């Protein structure tokens, strides 16, 4: 997808160290961390919104959620973390390439 910053990161056009990578996803650090540890799980294929879900995309999201718990120790999240998807304008989504936030490394404030 042209002009998508996360597609550019996935393609390696914008350098961002990959803390984890497999066939379907990468994990990077958020450039403006909102917690002591703040990671982003990016699917390698572009889709903008949860509302664009289809069967193939659902498999990728399933894979991401199945993988996150296997990365807890590697990412320093073994004491707990928050998983967030910001969806659309009211959800505060700023990058329209679906991504899952992982926040942790400290006790997070309540909503
Ligand atoms: P959202 O508001 O859910 O769309 O989240 C987008 C996130 O991407 C924000 O937390 C940004 O700080 C983060 N972000 C934007 N550009 C980059 C980048 N080049 N590398 C890492 N994180 C980024
Ligand atoms: Zn994209």
């Amino acid at each position: 997808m042209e002009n998508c910053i996360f597609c550019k990161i996935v393609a390696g056009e914008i350098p961002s160290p990959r803390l984890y990578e497999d066939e379907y996803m990468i994990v990077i650090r958020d450039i403006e961390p909102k917690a002591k540890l703040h990671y982003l799980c990016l699917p390698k294929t572009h889709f903008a919104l949860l509302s664009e879900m289809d069967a193939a995309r659902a498999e990728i999201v399933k894979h991401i959620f199945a993988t996150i718990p296997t990365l807890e120790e590697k990412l320093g999240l073994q004491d707990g973390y928050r998983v967030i998807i910001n969806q659309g304008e009211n959800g505060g989504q700023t990058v329209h390439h679906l991504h899952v936030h992982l926040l942790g490394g400290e006790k997070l404030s309540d909503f």
Side-chain angles (χ1 to χ4, degrees):
M1 177 62 102
E2 235 174 280
N3 289 327
C4 169
I5 192 163
F6 287 172
C7 280
K8 287 183 179 164
I9 288 173
V10 167
E13 290 164 20
I14 295 175
S16 180
R18 296 166 189 223
L19 304 169
Y20 173 79
E21 176 170 17
D22 66 27
E23 195 180 338
Y24 303 106
M25 63 182 279
I26 63 172
V27 178
I28 61 169
R29 282 184 203 282
D30 196 291
I31 205 169
E32 285 178 41
K34 315 305 186 286
K36 218 168 187 179
L37 297 175
H38 186 171
Y39 305 103
L40 300 172
C41 306
L42 312 182
K44 286 189 169 177
T45 51
H46 180 92
F47 69 108
L49 293 159
L50 268 182
S51 44
E52 295 171 7
M53 191 62 59
D54 62 19
R57 289 166 174 170
E59 282 303 312
I60 292 169
V61 173
K62 180 174 140 189
H63 172 79
I64 290 172
F65 277 87
T67 303
I68 287 168
T70 72
L71 300 176
E72 288 171 3
E73 293 219 345
K74 183 183 171 66
L75 298 178
L77 297 173
Q78 60 281 348
D79 293 333
Y81 52 100
R82 189 166 290 159
V83 182
I84 295 175
I85 295 176
N86 293 325
Q87 160 73 6
E89 197 172 334
N90 282 2
Q93 185 177 6
T94 58
V95 178
H96 288 81
H97 176 127
L98 185 105
H99 52 282
V100 179
H101 295 259
L102 304 177
L103 296 130
E106 62 183 320
K107 181 95 173 104
L108 300 170
S109 59
D110 292 339
F111 281 107

